[in-house]
Amino acid sequence: MKYLVALLLALPIVISIALFSSPSHAISSCNGPCHTLDDCTGQLICVNGRCHDDPDVGTHTCPSTPSPSGGGCQPSGTMNCHGKSFPRYRCSPQATSSTPATLTNNDFSEGGDGGGPSECDDNYHKNSELIVALSTGWYADGSRCGNRIRITSTKTRRSVIAKVVDECDSMNGCDGEHAGQPPCKNNIVDGSNAVWHALGLDIEVGEEDVTWSMV
């Protein structure tokens, strides 16, 4: 009887130990909690405490997070370029009255880093012109060719109006037509030297945050 009582009294302790002992290293899938690289399944890695795709591998197992502007634009596969994998996009974030974008620099002249002539008019252009190329989704199969957009720097607060003359190809790259460059990101406004100067930005920086809208 004493043995039975002792066993019954010890049972809750045994259960408590089982319930509250240190957790095992469970393997997490997309967006699951993690602390080390070993906590994630497959080729996922631990990013900010959550398991997510490894950008160096180039796979897209996890659903893409919708863009801040609500475009919900997701990659359309990947392209291997110069030994690295880059996402390809048919779409861009939704264009609004103040669309967030990344400003990059493009040489639209013949022999420049822009590759071939501009898509809109099949011509090369001087870097002194206020002109831009837009990511594939925003280029919209050339429907914005010749249109003017207002670009505003989030750093200097200056604005400039520039003409759309080309596509910043988000689907293709790494060939002569694209001067060996990988596909553009889906949120690029690729501006001439004149655009950068008008915004008071240093071309050597390479990328700057801007917003743009149709004029």
Side-chain angles (χ1 to χ4, degrees):
M1 185 66 179
K2 290 181 179 180
Y3 174 77
L4 180 59
V5 171
L7 182 62
L8 291 174
L9 290 173
L11 188 58
I13 298 175
V14 174
I15 294 174
S16 297
I17 292 173
L19 290 175
F20 297 104
S21 59
S22 59
S24 61
H25 291 286
I27 302 299
S28 295
S29 57
C30 289
N31 295 315
C34 60
H35 298 286
T36 70
L37 296 179
D38 296 330
D39 294 340
C40 302
T41 59
Q43 295 177 322
L44 302 181
I45 63 171
C46 193
V47 181
N48 296 326
R50 295 284 175 181
C51 292
H52 213 276
D53 295 314
D54 185 346
D56 292 331
V57 175
T59 56
H60 293 283
T61 305
C62 301
S64 297
T65 303
S67 64
S69 60
C73 177
Q74 298 184 8
S76 298
T78 59
M79 169 176 280
N80 189 280
C81 183
H82 308 308
K84 294 184 179 180
S85 184
F86 295 87
R88 306 169 73 192
Y89 291 94
R90 297 185 187 278
C91 56
S92 292
Q94 181 180 358
T96 67
S97 59
S98 182
T99 309
T102 297
L103 178 69
T104 53
N105 179 240
N106 187 32
D107 184 348
F108 292 87
S109 63
E110 187 171 5
D113 58 16
S118 298
E119 288 285 336
C120 291
D121 55 13
D122 199 33
N123 289 323
Y124 292 101
H125 293 268
K126 297 178 181 179
N127 291 314
S128 58
E129 296 180 53
L130 292 170
I131 51 178
V132 297
L134 297 178
S135 291
T136 295
W138 289 337
Y139 181 71
D141 291 325
S143 65
R144 287 198 167 98
C145 278
N147 290 348
R148 284 172 168 75
I149 64 172
R150 184 184 305 278
I151 308 162
T152 302
S153 166
T154 58
K155 177 185 288 184
T156 65
R157 300 299 177 184
R158 293 187 188 179
S159 294
V160 65
I161 294 176
K163 181 181 178 181
V164 178
V165 299
D166 203 359
E167 173 187 11
C168 194
D169 199 334
S170 304
M171 284 293 295
N172 306 291
C174 293
D175 53 18
E177 182 181 352
H178 299 87
Q181 298 185 68
C184 276
K185 298 177 183 177
N186 67 341
N187 65 336
I188 297 298
V189 173
D190 205 18
S192 63
N193 289 2
V195 169
W196 279 73
H197 294 326
L199 294 174
L201 297 171
D202 182 1
I203 293 174
E204 296 301 320
V205 173
E207 295 186 354
E208 290 283 4
D209 292 331
V210 296
T211 60
W212 70 273
S213 61
M214 300 299 301
V215 175

